[in-house]
Amino acid sequence: MNKILKFFIILIGIIIIVFIIEFIKLFIKLKSMYYYIDKDKCFAIMCDIDDICKKHGVKYYFSEGTALGLYRSGDLIDWDDDIDIGMEESQYNIFIEKCLPELVNNGYYLLYNYIPAINGNLLSFLKNSQIIDIENVQIGKKCISKMGKLCDELLPHIQKLTKKKWRGRKFPVPEESYYVYLYGKDWKIPKKTKNQS
């Protein structure tokens, strides 16, 4: 009886520890989703990702709100809540194989996909309480950046990239047609909402 009781006490202790760890991870994720980005942390993360992608020859671009801020004003949007990155499927596959292990080794915590309808098209990371979303732009699949629309419509707008300087470093972003496609003809007018469409 004594051995069985000890076993159950240890088992309950392990379950409680696992629950606490998962609760902390969820709390950090939720906190990150409801607070605005920290630009200093984001700059370090963006440089890190840029270096790793260049090292492995992965062509990527900063997308959505991240790209909009850089392209429109040369800075991240104050009320944005994550870093958005996009890449075409061939690049995404190289990213998974070569960059993903390096990011995890550098302290990036891989989150589960939190948009089940587009499962497989999005990788989400957490580092220093900042969320980084990486979209896999695939022909015939739904795009995250234009919820519900096929990526086929987005592809022409990401074929030609430009570089925008932020804090002395240049980052790849799409050209103007991308912002018109995502946000409409008044994309240059800042709106303090997550969804600008």
Side-chain angles (χ1 to χ4, degrees), residues 121-140:
N121 280 23
L122 176 71
L123 273 181
S124 293
F125 293 93
L126 185 67
K127 173 125 188 209
N128 296 330
S129 74
Q130 305 301 299
I131 291 181
I132 306 102
D133 288 338
I134 301 178
E135 179 178 16
N136 180 6
V137 180
Q138 299 179 41
I139 294 173

Side-chain angles (χ1 to χ4, degrees), residues 92-108:
Y92 187 83
N93 292 334
I94 298 168
F95 180 87
I96 295 293
E97 181 187 334
K98 296 185 177 180
C99 301
L100 177 61
E102 196 166 335
L103 286 170
V104 171
N105 287 338
N106 287 348
Y108 288 78

